[in-house]
Amino acid sequence: MISFAHVCKRYDGRPVLDDITLTIPPGAFVALVGASGAGKTTLLKAINRLTAIDSGTITVDGADIATQPLVGLRRRIGYVFQGVGLFPHMSVAENVWLAPRLAGQPPAGRDERVAELLAMVSLPADLAARYPRQLSGGQAQRVGFARALAAGPAIMLMDEPFGALDPVARAELGAAYRALHERMGLTSLLVTHDMAEALILADRVIVLGEGRVLADRTPRALMQARAEPGIRAMIDAALASAARLDALARGD
């Protein structure tokens, strides 16, 4: 579905992506983790050409993205990011219907399709008439997912989509999206700083550091392997938090 071949990107002479070569098969759920500045968001944005690479090749469905019309490329790829970015002057229905409207779809059947999309993200149809200011953070983020799904993309790119939510909403929306990924057969790439979130949600975890791939394993293999010290530190931090919560629950 997505392939990176010797992809490089530099900012002010510093390599942010340093000879990245990866293949993401259809239907995969991949998490990109690493410290700030590791190259996670740059790699994600390079797929839909929000970031231009300096060298190398990125292909989607076997076609070089550099040769594809930009609008057509982005219509095939959903994009969700922290902060949602809903238009405040538009209702929920208008936000969700934005991509189909720009693609020239007639308004006939709009309300039914919006209701269907809201149902996909576990929101009631009557929310369609509200405005972003009338939504909770979790509701707004779900609307962001519905908007990203409106054009029927095969690929979903997610940049810290749960990062601004409270822990309960974060866990609920993460589980809901994972179920949606399975039901719709999506190919999903998730950028997160949270190693626990990556291990729980993804089928494959790619750890980036200074623009390079430090590890590329299943969650189980990543936890069991004798990894680089930086990788082990991230896993140990997640395990330590889980162990502390378990001890509190037992009253220790």
Side-chain angles (χ1 to χ4, degrees), residues 38-225:
K40 307 181 298 297
T41 293
T42 300
L43 186 65
L44 195 76
K45 288 182 175 181
I47 298 169
N48 62 358
R49 289 168 54 190
L50 282 173
T51 293
I53 59 175
D54 295 332
S55 60
T57 304
I58 302 173
T59 62
V60 172
D61 279 339
D64 187 343
I65 64 169
T67 66
Q68 299 182 47
L70 185 57
V71 173
L73 173 70
R74 290 181 179 169
R75 283 179 182 161
R76 298 161 54 202
I77 300 173
Y79 183 56
V80 183
F81 50 93
Q82 184 176 342
V84 191
L86 299 180
F87 292 101
H89 64 288
M90 292 183 178
S91 69
V92 166
E94 290 168 331
N95 270 284
V96 171
W97 193 248
L98 182 61
R101 180 173 67 82
L102 293 175
Q105 290 193 28
R110 186 199 77 161
D111 292 347
E112 292 79 5
R113 178 57 176 159
V114 168
E116 179 185 352
L117 288 160
L118 292 178
M120 284 182 184
V121 294
S122 303
L123 289 176
D126 60 10
L127 222 65
R130 295 189 189 179
Y131 285 82
R133 66 180 179 277
Q134 299 171 307
L135 305 176
S136 69
Q139 288 173 331
Q141 197 68 43
R142 288 174 187 265
V143 172
F145 274 98
R147 182 177 62 181
L149 293 165
I155 297 169
M156 283 287 284
L157 307 180
M158 299 170 286
D159 191 358
E160 296 282 359
F162 316 121
L165 302 179
D166 66 80
V168 173
R170 182 172 188 153
E172 288 179 350
L173 188 51
Y177 179 78
R178 176 70 215 206
L180 193 67
H181 164 89
E182 297 290 346
R183 188 164 73 249
M184 298 182 66
L186 297 167
T187 301
S188 301
L189 277 78
L190 168 69
V191 165
T192 178
H193 285 91
D194 188 336
M195 178 60 84
E197 184 173 75
L199 293 170
I200 290 168
L201 292 179
D203 303 315
R204 175 180 170 192
V205 179
I206 296 173
V207 183
L208 296 176
E210 298 182 353
R212 289 183 171 272
V213 175
L214 303 181
D216 180 0
R217 300 186 180 97
T218 65
R220 183 180 296 275
L222 189 64
M223 292 188 69
Q224 293 177 343

